[in-house]
Amino acid sequence: MNTLQRHRALSRIWASDSGWKRWFTTVNHTDLGRMFLAVAVLFFIIGGILAMLIRAQLASPRSAFIGPEHYNQIFTMHGTIMMFLFAIPLFEGLAVYLLPKLLGTRDLAFPRLTAYGFWCYVFGGSMMIFSLLAGMAPDSGWFMYPPLSSTIGAPGINSDFWLIGITFVEISAISAAVEICVTILRYRAVGMSLSRMPIFAWYALVTAVMILTGFPPLILGSILLELERAFDMPFFQVAAGGDALLWQHLFWLFGHPEVYIIFLPAAGAISTILPVMARTRLMGYGWIVAAAVSLGVLSFGLWVHHMFTTGIPHMGLAFFSAASTLVAVPTAVQLFAWIGTLWQGRPDMRLPMLWLLAFFATFVIGGLTGVMVAIVPFDWQAHDTYFIVAHLHYVLVGGFVFPMLAALYYWLPHFVGRKTYFNLGNTAFWLVFTGFHGTFLLLHWAGLLGMRRRIDSYAPGQGWELINLFASVSSFVMAIGFALVLIDVVVNAAVAVRGSRDPWHAGTLEWAMPTPPAPYNFASIPTVASRDPLYDTPDLPVRIARGEGYLGDCARERRETLCVDVATGAPRHITVFPGNTALPALMSAVTGLFFLGMLVKAYWLVPFSALGVICCAMVWVWSLSPKQAEGALPAGHGLALTTAAEVADPPGWWGSLFLLLADGTFFGSLLFGYAFLWTIAPNWPPPAYVEAGLWPLLCLGAGAALTLAGARVATLLGSALGAAGLLALGAGATLILARAPDPTAHAYDATIWVLMGYALVHVLIALLMTGVLSMRRLASHPAVTTTGAARIVRLWSDYAVAVALITFAAAALPGVLA
C-alpha cells in the first residue's frame, strides 16, 4: 500500500458523516475541537457585548441608559459567560483539538464522551442565553451569594437558571477533564515517556486534575442552593441551622483554583509558542513542570483569600495570607524560565510574539496587584471596590485572553492550512492592547478612590467621572480591536493562499501532518526519542506518511490506535474506537430534559428523563462490548498486541478512576459542609437526631460484606452476591431516611437526606453496572473480554460501600455523642 492509498483508506475509515448530519453524529476530536472553539468564541462575543453595555451605563454619573434590574442581569451574565461559558470551554476546545496531534495519536481516549460533553455545553449554555433574552437572567452576581440568590432575595426563576444551567455545563467540564487525563497518560506516540511529553500536555494534565477536584464543590453548592429554593431545605438559612457562609466556602473552594485553571492552559500555550518564536528550545522544562504542579496544589489552599472581610479568626487570616503570597513563587519560576528562553534565543517579532509580550506586560501587573490584595490590611480597604475588578481583568485577560490570541495566530495555519496573508492582526493587536490598559489601569485608581463594584450608577462629585468616561471610551476601542481579530481570522481562513506544512519551523508532532489535518491525524503511530522530535528527526513526517510507524496497515478496516505504558510510553495494547453515532447528542438532550424539569418545576419529568439517561447509558455500554476475543493482533514492527477490551486495565478503568476522583471530591465537600454547619452555624444541635437502630446497621453490615465479596468473584454467582449486597445497602440507607426528621425543619435534617440520597445514587450506579456485567456473562461473552469490565464494576462497588458506611457514620455520630 503506497502513501496515497493509505491516506484514502484511512480517510474513509475515520471520516465523519457528510452533510448536516455530521455535526450531530461526529465523534472525531478534530471536528469536536473546532466546534468547541467556535461556540466558545460565540459566547465571548455575547459576553463582550454585555461588557460594552456595562461600560456605557457607567460612562457618566446617574446614567439612565440601563435600569437597575436589567443592569444586575447584564452584570451577572457577563461574569457568568466569561468564566463558565468562554474561558474553560475554550481550553477544552483547544485541548480536544490539539492533544492527540501533540501526543502522536489518532484520537482522544473516549470519543463519544467528548461529543456528549460538547452537547451538554451547548444545551446548558443555550439555557443561560435564553434566560437573558427572555428577561429572566440571574441577577444576584456571578458568585450567587445567598441570601441574595435564595428565595428571600430572588424569589423568581432567575437564580434557578444559573444554578441549573451551570450545573449542566459543568458536566461538560468533568467529561473533558476525564478525557484529557486518560488521553495524556495512555495515548501517546511510542517512546514518549512522561519526561518527553510536550509541555502543553503537562499543563493540560494539571489543569484537568484541578477541574476534577475544583469543580465538584461548586456543583455541590449549586445543588444545595437549588434544593433550598425548590424544596425549602435550609442549608443557608441561619434561623434553621444553616449559614450563608457555607456557600462562600464552597464557591471559593472552586473559585480560586478556577483562576489557575484558566491561567495554566494559557501558560502551556506560552511555553509551547515562546521557544518557537525565539528560535530556541524551552529553558527549564523540569522546573516549569514542577512549578505548574505546585501551582495546582497551592491553589487549593487559597480560597479564604476571598473571604478576609467575613470575620474569620486571625490565625486563619495569617495562614491564608501567607499561602496567597507563597503562590507567587511558582509563578515567578515560570516567568523567569520564559525570560531565560527569550534571552538565549533570537525572538521573531511576528504576531504571536506580540501577543506574548502583551501577556508579560499585563500579567505581571495583575500578579503584583494580586500580592497586594493578599495582604489582609490592604484587602480590607480594597475589597469589593473597582480595584478588585481591575485586578481580576488584568489576571484573566492578560493571563488568558492574550496568550490564547497568540495561540490562535500560531495554530491558525494548522486549522485552515493557509498562511496569514492580510495584516489586520497587527492593527487589532494595538487597538486591543491600548484599549485594555486604557480601560482597566485607571479603574485601579477608581477603586482606591472608593468606587464600589456591582453598582449601576453613582453620584457626581466623587472624582470618578473622568476615570469612568476614559475607561468606557477605551473599552470600545478594545471592542473594535477584538472585532478586527475576528474579521482577520475569518478573511485569512477563507481567502489566503495555501501555506507550508510547518510555517513556524516548530519541533512538536502536530506539524508532522498535512494541514488542515486528515481525520485520522497520523497515517502510522510514530516513535519518538526526544521532546522536539521534528528537530531531531526532520524526515519523521515522511516516514509517518509512508506507514513506517505502528498500525500503518489498515487492513482491519476500523479505527485503531495504540495505548502505551504510563511512564515509559512503551506500546501495551490496541484500542478500537467507535464509529459515528448520534447517541451522545441524544443522551445530552435527554440529560437536558432532566435539568429542564427541575428548572420549570415539572418534577414529573425528572424521573422519566433520568430513566432515559439510564437507557442511553446502557445502550452506549452494550454497543462497546466485544462479543468475541481476538487475541494478539499485528501492530507493526513485528509486535503483536491484544485489544483494550482484553486487558485488566482498559481505558474505561482509568476513566472511572478519574471520575471517582471528582466524585470523591464532591463527597468530601459534602462532609466538609456537614462539619462546617455542625461547628459554626447557629442553632445546633437540632431538636432531634437520627436514631440508627439495629436493622439499618445489620443491612449495611451484611450489604458491605456481600458487595465486597461478590465484586471479587468473577462468575455469575459473584454478580448475584454483589447485587444482593447492593440491595441490602440501599435498604439500610432507606431505613435511615425513614427515621430522619422533616428535611425542611433544620439544616441537619436536610443534610442527612442529601447524604443518604448520595449513597442511594451510588448504590443504584453500582447495581446497574453489575446488571450489565451479568448480562454479558449470561450472553456467554468470553471471560477475557469481561475481566476489565469486572474491575470497573469492582471499583464502583467498593466506592458505593465506602460511601454507604461513611454516610451511616455521619448520620449516627451526633446521636452517639449526645
Side-chain angles (χ1 to χ4, degrees):
M1 179 179 291
N2 61 35
T3 301
L4 183 58
Q5 290 171 331
R6 180 175 295 103
H7 166 73
R8 288 173 175 169
L10 287 169
S11 296
R12 184 185 69 255
I13 294 169
W14 289 83
S16 300
D17 291 334
S18 59
W20 62 268
K21 288 197 306 181
R22 172 177 186 169
W23 309 113
F24 299 96
T25 62
T26 183
V27 293
N28 182 272
H29 81 98
T30 300
D31 288 340
L32 291 166
R34 288 170 173 164
M35 291 157 69
F36 256 114
L37 292 171
V39 176
V41 169
L42 175 61
F43 282 126
F44 178 74
I45 294 171
I46 296 172
I49 293 171
L50 297 180
M52 294 303 97
L53 294 176
I54 292 172
R55 287 316 315 167
Q57 170 70 10
L58 296 176
S60 59
R62 291 179 178 167
S63 172
F65 179 65
I66 304 173
E69 180 182 352
H70 290 105
Y71 180 87
N72 287 337
Q73 293 186 16
I74 290 170
F75 161 78
T76 301
M77 285 299 294
H78 167 69
T80 299
I81 288 171
M82 291 304 195
M83 296 293 285
F84 297 102
L85 302 183
F86 164 65
I88 298 302
L90 190 76
F91 155 66
E92 294 169 9
L94 189 63
V96 165
Y97 179 86
L98 271 184
L99 274 177
K101 298 171 174 60
L102 281 165
L103 297 171
T105 189
R106 285 174 171 165
D107 210 326
L108 295 165
F110 309 111
R112 290 184 178 183
L113 184 62
T114 310
Y116 175 69
F118 169 76
W119 287 110
C120 285
Y121 164 51
V122 170
F123 293 149
S126 300
M127 186 183 298
M128 300 293 294
I129 300 303
F130 171 79
S131 73
L132 182 65
L133 296 176
M136 298 184 292
D139 54 5
S140 304
W142 67 270
F143 27 77
M144 294 295 288
Y145 287 168
L148 290 176
S149 57
S150 67
T151 51
I152 299 172
I157 199 175
N158 303 53
S159 293
D160 298 308
F161 271 107
W162 195 97
L163 297 168
I164 293 173
I166 291 303
T167 303
F168 194 9
V169 170
E170 297 311 291
I171 295 175
S172 171
I174 298 296
S175 300
V178 170
E179 186 84 82
I180 289 167
C181 288
V182 179
T183 299
I184 292 172
L185 293 179
R186 299 308 309 269
Y187 292 86
R188 306 195 297 269
V190 175
M192 185 181 283
S193 62
L194 291 178
S195 61
R196 293 174 182 166
M197 282 203 312
I199 192 69
F200 183 84
W202 273 110
Y203 276 105
L205 179 61
V206 173
T207 304
V209 173
M210 290 178 68
I211 289 174
L212 294 175
T213 50
F215 280 35
L218 175 65
I219 296 173
L220 172 65
S222 300
I223 291 172
L224 296 183
L225 185 52
E226 182 58 29
L227 288 174
E228 178 176 302
R229 291 178 57 83
F231 303 110
D232 297 323
M233 294 186 176
F235 298 104
F236 307 104
Q237 296 178 18
V238 175
D243 196 322
L245 277 183
L246 174 60
W247 171 269
Q248 289 201 34
H249 279 288
L250 292 174
F251 183 86
W252 291 116
L253 272 169
F254 148 82
H256 203 87
E258 162 83 345
V259 174
Y260 297 96
I261 289 170
I262 291 173
F263 167 67
L264 285 174
I270 295 165
S271 297
T272 302
I273 299 168
L274 191 66
V276 180
M277 292 294 105
R279 292 175 283 185
T280 185
R281 302 203 187 202
L282 182 66
M283 176 183 285
Y285 174 94
W287 285 99
I288 291 178
V289 171
V293 174
S294 300
L295 270 179
V297 174
L298 288 173
S299 66
F300 286 92
L302 309 180
W303 80 93
V304 181
H305 170 104
H306 298 267
M307 300 172 62
F308 284 162
T309 61
T310 58
I312 64 174
H314 286 179
M315 182 64 75
L317 289 176
F319 172 82
F320 286 101
S321 179
S324 299
T325 54
L326 180 63
V327 80
V329 175
T331 306
V333 168
Q334 295 171 88
L335 285 170
F336 281 115
W338 295 331
I339 293 170
T341 302
L342 285 173
W343 186 267
Q344 74 178 2
R346 292 173 296 132
D348 187 355
M349 299 302 294
R350 288 193 277 182
L351 197 50
M353 190 68 213
L354 290 179
W355 285 111
L356 294 185
L357 293 178
F359 153 78
F360 281 112
T362 308
F363 185 74
V364 169
I365 295 174
L368 291 174
T369 56
V371 173
M372 292 170 67
V373 297
I375 307 303
V376 176
F378 182 84
D379 185 74
W380 279 343
Q381 301 302 316
H383 191 73
D384 274 348
T385 70
Y386 258 81
F387 188 93
I388 303 299
V389 174
H391 158 69
L392 177 69
H393 284 83
Y394 262 82
V395 171
L396 295 183
V397 177
F400 180 75
V401 177
F402 287 176
M404 287 296 105
L405 287 169
L408 169 67
Y409 279 105
Y410 178 75
W411 278 298
L412 185 61
H414 197 288
F415 277 86
V416 300
R418 300 176 184 272
K419 66 181 181 179
T420 302
Y421 185 76
F422 300 94
N423 292 319
L424 285 175
N426 286 44
T427 303
F429 165 79
W430 289 110
L431 288 174
V432 171
F433 183 73
T434 57
F436 172 80
H437 286 279
T439 302
F440 293 104
L441 192 60
L442 286 177
L443 290 181
H444 289 99
W445 185 16
L448 293 176
L449 290 176
M451 183 176 177
R452 314 302 297 177
R453 60 177 173 171
R454 310 168 199 161
I455 59 173
D456 65 288
S457 183
Y458 55 92
Q462 302 184 70
W464 306 341
E465 296 93 335
L466 189 59
I467 294 173
N468 277 290
L469 178 60
F470 190 84
S472 294
V473 171
S474 297
S475 71
F476 279 89
V477 172
M478 177 172 57
I480 294 169
F482 279 122
L484 282 181
V485 169
L486 184 62
I487 293 170
D488 186 44
V489 169
V490 172
V491 169
N492 278 294
V495 180
V497 298
R498 298 283 298 178
S500 60
R501 171 180 290 189
D502 185 4
W504 309 110
H505 305 293
T508 44
L509 283 174
E510 78 272 26
W511 301 107
M513 62 183 69
T515 56
Y520 56 84
N521 286 341
F522 298 96
S524 58
I525 306 300
T527 301
V528 301
S530 69
R531 294 173 193 148
D532 298 296
L534 297 193
Y535 289 156
D536 301 315
T537 314
D539 65 337
L540 185 60
V542 176
R543 292 163 59 179
I544 292 172
R546 288 175 179 168
E548 296 178 13
Y550 291 86
L551 298 179
D553 181 4
C554 44
R556 288 188 286 272
E557 290 287 325
R558 61 188 184 186
R559 302 178 181 186
E560 294 181 341
T561 195
L562 282 184
C563 206
V564 300
D565 180 75
V566 171
T568 66
R572 285 291 176 260
H573 50 262
I574 298 170
T575 297
V576 181
F577 286 135
N580 303 318
T581 175
L583 184 60
L586 174 63
M587 184 170 170
S588 61
V590 177
T591 308
L593 289 177
F594 177 92
F595 287 98
L596 185 63
M598 292 291 297
L599 177 66
V600 300
K601 308 297 187 288
Y603 297 120
W604 61 270
L605 187 60
V606 173
F608 286 104
S609 53
L611 183 62
V613 171
I614 291 172
C615 292
C616 289
M618 301 282 275
V619 172
W620 184 323
V621 172
W622 190 260
S623 66
L624 296 177
S625 303
K627 307 302 184 292
Q628 59 185 10
E630 295 184 276
L633 302 173
H637 294 273
L639 185 66
L641 299 171
T642 57
T643 62
E646 300 174 36
V647 297
D649 60 337
W653 185 87
W654 285 86
S656 294
L657 199 64
F658 284 105
L659 186 55
L660 283 174
L661 172 63
D663 206 346
T665 305
F666 180 95
F667 186 45
S669 301
L670 179 57
L671 295 175
F672 164 80
Y674 182 47
F676 175 82
L677 292 177
W678 192 350
T679 56
I680 300 296
N683 301 311
W684 282 68
Y689 292 110
V690 171
E691 295 182 5
L694 179 62
W695 282 108
L697 183 61
L698 289 176
C699 286
L700 289 167
L706 287 172
T707 302
L708 294 174
R712 284 155 179 80
V713 178
T715 61
L716 274 171
L717 175 61
S719 297
L721 289 174
L726 290 166
L727 289 172
L729 289 176
T734 304
L735 287 173
I736 292 175
L737 276 182
R739 298 164 182 259
D742 180 6
T744 65
H746 195 274
Y748 165 79
D749 308 319
T751 306
I752 296 303
W753 276 80
V754 173
L755 284 168
M756 291 301 116
Y758 180 84
L760 285 170
V761 166
H762 286 80
V763 166
L764 176 62
I765 291 171
L767 196 59
L768 289 171
M769 298 176 89
T770 302
V772 172
L773 182 61
S774 301
M775 291 169 59
R776 291 186 60 184
R777 285 170 172 165
L778 285 170
S780 301
H781 288 190
V784 70
T785 66
T786 60
T787 302
R791 287 194 70 205
I792 296 173
V793 172
R794 183 195 307 175
L795 202 61
W796 285 90
S797 297
D798 290 353
Y799 185 77
V801 169
V803 163
L805 296 178
I806 293 171
T807 52
F808 174 80
L813 185 60
V816 172
L817 295 178

